[in-house]
């Protein structure tokens, strides 16, 4: 059976984003667990703040159409979340909202069809000690609402600036073990949903 294809993204486009470092560790763990990993940068999929008038006048941004195709071609998604005031970043919410919109020119690869029936995992990342623990409940809810099956395993990576070693593994062995378990569960669920 082909490897399940998992998209990995971080909810920040900041040049020095800590969540990107954690996303690298997640991508590595997923590869080791048997996934075909596509790690993407939201910077490569720029979109204005969602506005219904804009959509009515110009349709979906070209970058969103591209991202919808990436998501549609995947079996699952792992999102690394910076925590903004206990919740998800506006960048991530805006991107998820845009992608949930139907594209009349490509109805099979847009709107709910990019999410429904796919599996997702959520990871938090923060320079603080709690690792973005609070965002996980919000983002889990949002992805579930979109029709994704969010696996129960989750991880909050604190002191994220120092958490990832040069070998792209989490320096804390217990946390790396949790990440490996999460990656294994995500790959396993993706395989079963596809069967
Ligand atoms: C508007 C805003 C709100 C924030 N709220 C939180 C928070 O609730 N919890 C937290 O741990 N860090 C919070 N931070 C700090 C971020 O965790 C920190 O800036 C982090 O580096 C952002 O993620 P990034 O490095 O991936 O871009 C906040 C930062 C901003 C800009």
């Amino acid at each position: 059976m082909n490897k399940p294809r998992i998209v990995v993204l971080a909810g920040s486009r900041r040049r020095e984003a800590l969540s990107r470092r954690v996303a690298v560790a997640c991508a590595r763990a997923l590869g080791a667990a048997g996934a075909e990993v596509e790690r993407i940068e939201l910077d490569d999929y720029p979109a204005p703040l969602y506005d219904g008038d804009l959509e009515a006048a110009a349709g979906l941004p070209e970058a969103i159409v591209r991202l919808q195709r990436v998501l549609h071609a995947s079996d699952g998604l792992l999102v690394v979340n910076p925590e903004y005031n206990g919740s998800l970043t506006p960048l991530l919410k805006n991107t998820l909202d845009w992608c949930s919109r139907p594209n009349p020119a490509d109805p099979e690869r847009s709107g709910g069809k990019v999410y429904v029936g796919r599996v997702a995992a959520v990871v938090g990342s923060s320079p603080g000690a709690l690792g973005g623990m609070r965002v996980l409940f919000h983002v889990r809810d949002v992805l579930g609402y979109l029709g994704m099956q969010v696996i129960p395993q989750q991880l909050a990576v604190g002191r994220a600036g120092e958490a990832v070693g040069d070998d792209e593994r989490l320096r804390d062995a217990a946390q790396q073990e949790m990440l490996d378990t999460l990656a294994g569960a995500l790959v396993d669920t993706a395989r079963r949903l596809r069967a």
Side-chain angles (χ1 to χ4, degrees):
M1 184 193 256
N2 288 344
K3 292 179 170 189
R5 190 176 180 84
I6 308 290
V7 173
V8 176
L9 62 86
S12 171
R13 61 195 295 185
R14 211 165 62 82
R15 263 194 310 277
E16 300 296 327
L18 306 181
S19 51
R20 184 181 299 111
R21 298 185 205 178
V22 176
V24 167
C26 292
R28 193 208 143 276
L30 281 166
E36 183 185 329
V37 181
E38 183 165 8
R39 192 170 69 78
I40 65 168
E41 299 278 348
L42 289 185
D43 208 25
D44 293 329
Y45 300 92
L49 192 59
Y50 178 80
D51 174 342
D53 289 341
L54 201 65
E55 183 187 10
L60 302 188
E62 168 276 331
I64 293 299
V65 173
R66 276 193 291 117
L67 182 53
Q68 285 178 326
R69 289 174 184 170
V70 170
L71 295 175
H72 186 268
S74 76
D75 298 298
L77 177 66
L78 185 151
V79 186
V80 181
N81 294 271
E83 182 175 81
Y84 278 9
N85 297 313
S87 192
L88 62 165
T89 62
L91 171 66
L92 177 64
K93 185 66 166 66
N94 190 52
T95 305
L96 293 172
D97 285 343
W98 267 117
C99 286
S100 76
R101 302 298 297 159
N103 177 5
D106 196 359
E108 289 305 314
R109 292 186 295 176
S110 63
K113 292 192 171 152
V114 309
Y115 299 117
V116 174
R118 290 177 174 73
V119 63
V122 293
V123 171
S125 116
S126 163
L130 296 183
M133 177 57 82
R134 290 162 300 190
V135 61
L136 295 177
F137 300 99
H138 286 194
V139 72
R140 166 181 293 285
D141 213 25
V142 169
L143 294 172
Y145 187 86
L146 290 169
M148 303 199 84
Q149 186 170 321
V150 188
I151 61 170
Q153 292 81 0
Q154 60 183 25
L155 183 64
V157 180
R159 313 269 179 246
E162 301 86 51
V164 182
D166 292 339
D167 58 358
E168 300 184 347
R169 292 170 58 85
L170 297 175
R171 291 185 206 276
D172 183 292
Q175 279 225 317
Q176 179 62 44
E177 198 177 320
M178 285 173 74
L179 176 55
D180 289 337
T181 301
L182 179 153
L186 185 57
V187 169
D188 187 48
T189 309
R191 278 209 177 97
R192 281 194 274 136
L193 282 178
R194 205 170 53 173

